[in-house]
Amino acid sequence: MENAGGAALAIVLVVLIVFVIIVLVRSVRIIPQARAGVVERLGKYQRTLNPGLTILIPFVDRLLPLLDLREQVVSFPPQPVITEDNLVVSIDTVVYFQVTDPRAATYEIANYIQAVEQLTTTTLRNVVGGLNLEEALTSRDQINGQLRGVLDEATGRWGIRVSRVELKAIDPPHSIQDSMEKQMRAERDRRAAILTAEGTKQSAILTAEGQRQASILAAEGEAKAAILRADGEAQAIQKVFDAIHRGNPDQKLLAYQYLQTLPKLAEGSSNKLWIIPSEVGEALKGIGNVLGGTNPDPAAAGGLFDEMAAKPAGQ
């Protein structure tokens, strides 16, 4: 009897120890950082648990699966969307969201990730349906902004904040892609032709401007050279004139210099006729006085030079 009573007592102690362990396990919970737990008491929402150590009432309180409070990124599969010009494009979307109210995320929506996906798809079709293909391809920022506004407004009551929506890819049909590539090649060729023409035009303008500047500079150089030559000749003449006057030449020297100048009038093959001025008689008179001491007849000398003037040069 004593052995049977001791065995029964041992079993009771073991059961009691197991029960205590189970109670402790169900009573003490540790919530990690950036997580949140929703506690139900007798099937009804009781409170939201923050990160840290907490105590629950065993068999009365129930802790639901923990919710992640960090910002999450969900990439949805491509969705076919019809544009305003009746073209079907495939659009990939990426949504960035964060749980801000664990209670609302638990009780206001059954599956908030699936709800965000479906809402994104319907909103995307509404937005892109009012745009043609070119606008849809070039208006990503506008589409992203409209999607974010609609999603943030709708998911606010679910305890979710949509921070960002991105269109990862917009894929038009292959036939449209080929047409767009041909159009882009034609546009690039057109721009290249325009740039080449602009370059040729600018080159011609610069060349003409350079030639004009060179002509202006050359003309200015010639004008300055002519002025310098004229100034030099004027200074030379002035010096000769001053030297003659300083030397006080007489009539005899002037007549001799005058006769020395006459042969230069006949220089050159084009000089067929040259004229002797009437003052030569006076010059010969002075020379005759110097050489012979006699006074030649100026009239005779004048007649002689008139006869010479009537003959062509070289005879």
Side-chain angles (χ1 to χ4, degrees):
M1 293 293 295
E2 292 180 358
N3 292 334
L9 181 60
I11 294 173
V12 172
L13 291 176
V14 171
V15 172
L16 183 61
I17 292 173
V18 172
F19 178 77
V20 171
I21 293 174
I22 294 175
V23 170
L24 291 176
V25 170
R26 296 179 63 91
S27 299
V28 179
R29 293 296 179 90
I30 297 176
I31 307 300
Q33 184 67 33
R35 301 289 194 277
V38 175
V39 177
E40 291 181 348
R41 179 167 293 175
L42 299 177
K44 184 179 180 181
Y45 172 77
Q46 201 272 330
R47 68 181 186 277
T48 299
L49 298 181
N50 295 321
L53 180 65
T54 185
I55 303 297
L56 301 177
I57 300 176
F59 308 105
V60 177
D61 294 340
R62 184 170 70 96
L63 180 63
L64 299 181
L66 300 180
L67 298 176
D68 194 342
L69 300 181
R70 295 173 296 180
E71 186 172 12
Q72 302 180 46
V73 181
V74 179
S75 178
F76 300 132
Q79 300 293 330
V81 180
I82 301 177
T83 61
E84 186 180 17
D85 46 0
N86 296 324
L87 293 176
V88 179
V89 295
S90 180
I91 301 179
D92 296 351
T93 55
V94 179
V95 179
Y96 298 79
F97 68 93
Q98 184 179 13
V99 177
T100 57
D101 187 356
R103 180 182 179 279
T106 302
Y107 296 105
E108 297 296 335
I109 189 71
N111 188 336
Y112 55 83
I113 294 180
Q114 184 179 4
V116 170
E117 178 183 1
Q118 296 300 322
L119 183 60
T120 301
T121 301
T122 55
T123 306
L124 185 63
R125 289 175 178 174
N126 292 333
V127 173
V128 178
L131 303 174
N132 55 38
L133 179 59
E134 185 176 357
E135 293 174 346
L137 294 175
T138 58
S139 305
R140 292 198 177 192
D141 293 338
Q142 178 183 355
I143 297 173
N144 293 339
Q146 294 182 9
L147 284 175
R148 181 185 177 279
V150 174
L151 290 175
D152 194 26
E153 181 181 358
T155 58
R157 62 187 182 88
W158 300 340
I160 297 174
R161 181 179 63 86
V162 177
S163 59
R164 192 173 181 181
V165 179
E166 293 290 341
L167 300 183
K168 187 167 61 175
I170 301 178
D171 299 326
H174 294 290
S175 59
I176 300 299
Q177 292 183 10
D178 295 338
S179 301
M180 292 174 63
E181 290 178 358
K182 293 180 181 179
Q183 182 180 0
M184 291 177 62
R185 285 196 296 269
E187 182 66 19
R188 285 195 294 266
D189 293 340
R190 184 183 69 84
R191 292 180 181 178
I194 292 175
L195 291 177
T196 302
E198 288 290 337
T200 303
K201 175 183 175 182
Q202 291 296 328
S203 176
I205 292 174
L206 293 177
T207 301
E209 184 67 21
Q211 293 177 354
R212 186 178 72 85
Q213 293 293 335
S215 301
I216 293 174
L217 293 176
E220 291 179 352
E222 292 178 358
K224 291 182 180 179
I227 293 173
L228 292 176
R229 286 196 299 269
D231 291 341
E233 292 176 358
Q235 292 178 4
I237 293 173
Q238 185 66 35
K239 287 184 179 180
V240 172
F241 183 78
D242 294 340
I244 291 174
H245 279 274
R246 285 196 302 268
N248 194 15
D250 55 4
Q251 185 68 25
K252 299 175 182 181
L253 178 59
L254 294 176
Y256 179 72
Q257 292 293 332
Y258 192 77
L259 287 177
Q260 283 185 335
T261 307
L262 289 178
K264 296 182 179 180
L265 298 176
E267 292 180 356
S269 59
S270 62
N271 294 331
K272 300 299 182 181
L273 182 66
W274 51 287
I275 300 172
I276 302 299
S278 61
E279 289 83 358
V280 174
E282 294 296 332
L284 290 176
K285 180 180 178 181
I287 294 173
N289 292 332
V290 173
L291 298 177
T294 61
N295 293 325
D297 187 4
L304 177 61
F305 279 97
D306 289 340
E307 182 179 356
M308 293 174 61
K311 295 179 180 181
Q315 294 183 359

